[in-house]
Amino acid sequence: QVQLVESGGGLVQPGGSLRLSCAASGSIFSIYAMGWYRQAPGKQRELVAVISSGGSTNYADSVKGRFTISRDNAKNTVHLQMNSLKPEDAAVYYCAADKIYNRLIAGIVSYWGQGTQVTVSS
């Protein structure tokens, strides 16, 4: 069992930055692959970034060079640093966890957070 709680969402201007956090509890955090997905109104949920238990990462093409995912196993947290934000980045962002990295990439995951809203507007 893993419980995930996201925080850090809010309103930011285009070109600005925001840092999302995901706090995990209920299991051994270090063995899980972790990731961030997002969903905008009327759109499908899409992968933003994932990080394996060993620290390897993968990003959606639309966010490469702008977003960075990281993890702190000592604090049971995962972060998503979002820079140079665009209006199309606006969505509800969800933290996700699974013991199998490829399941997270495929969108087939065991645990989801409740989501945090990110709004990008001038």
Side-chain angles (χ1 to χ4, degrees):
Q1 281 296 125
V2 177
Q3 291 77 49
L4 306 173
V5 180
E6 304 97 331
S7 62
L11 174 65
V12 65
Q13 293 182 316
S17 297
L18 207 59
R19 187 176 188 244
L20 305 183
S21 297
C22 175
S25 63
S27 190
I28 302 174
F29 176 78
S30 62
I31 68 174
Y32 284 85
M34 304 294 298
W36 291 93
Y37 278 74
R38 67 187 182 188
Q39 187 169 29
K43 302 292 185 179
Q44 294 291 104
R45 182 175 291 182
E46 64 176 350
L47 172 71
V48 178
V50 293
I51 184 167
S52 73
S53 60
S56 62
T57 59
N58 191 40
Y59 297 91
D61 288 341
S62 60
V63 307
K64 286 181 179 177
R66 300 189 297 120
F67 290 12
T68 302
I69 187 171
S70 62
R71 66 191 298 158
D72 186 340
N73 290 341
K75 297 181 179 179
N76 288 2
T77 57
V78 175
H79 303 283
L80 185 68
Q81 179 66 47
M82 304 185 293
N83 299 325
S84 302
L85 283 161
K86 304 174 180 179
E88 52 263 44
D89 294 318
V92 177
Y93 283 70
Y94 297 91
C95 184
D98 200 283
K99 291 183 180 180
I100 303 174
Y101 185 79
N102 288 342
R103 285 170 56 86
L104 207 54
I105 294 175
I108 307 172
V109 302
S110 296
Y111 305 103
W112 296 93
Q114 295 301 305
T116 185
Q117 177 72 52
V118 172
T119 302
V120 185
S121 177
S122 59

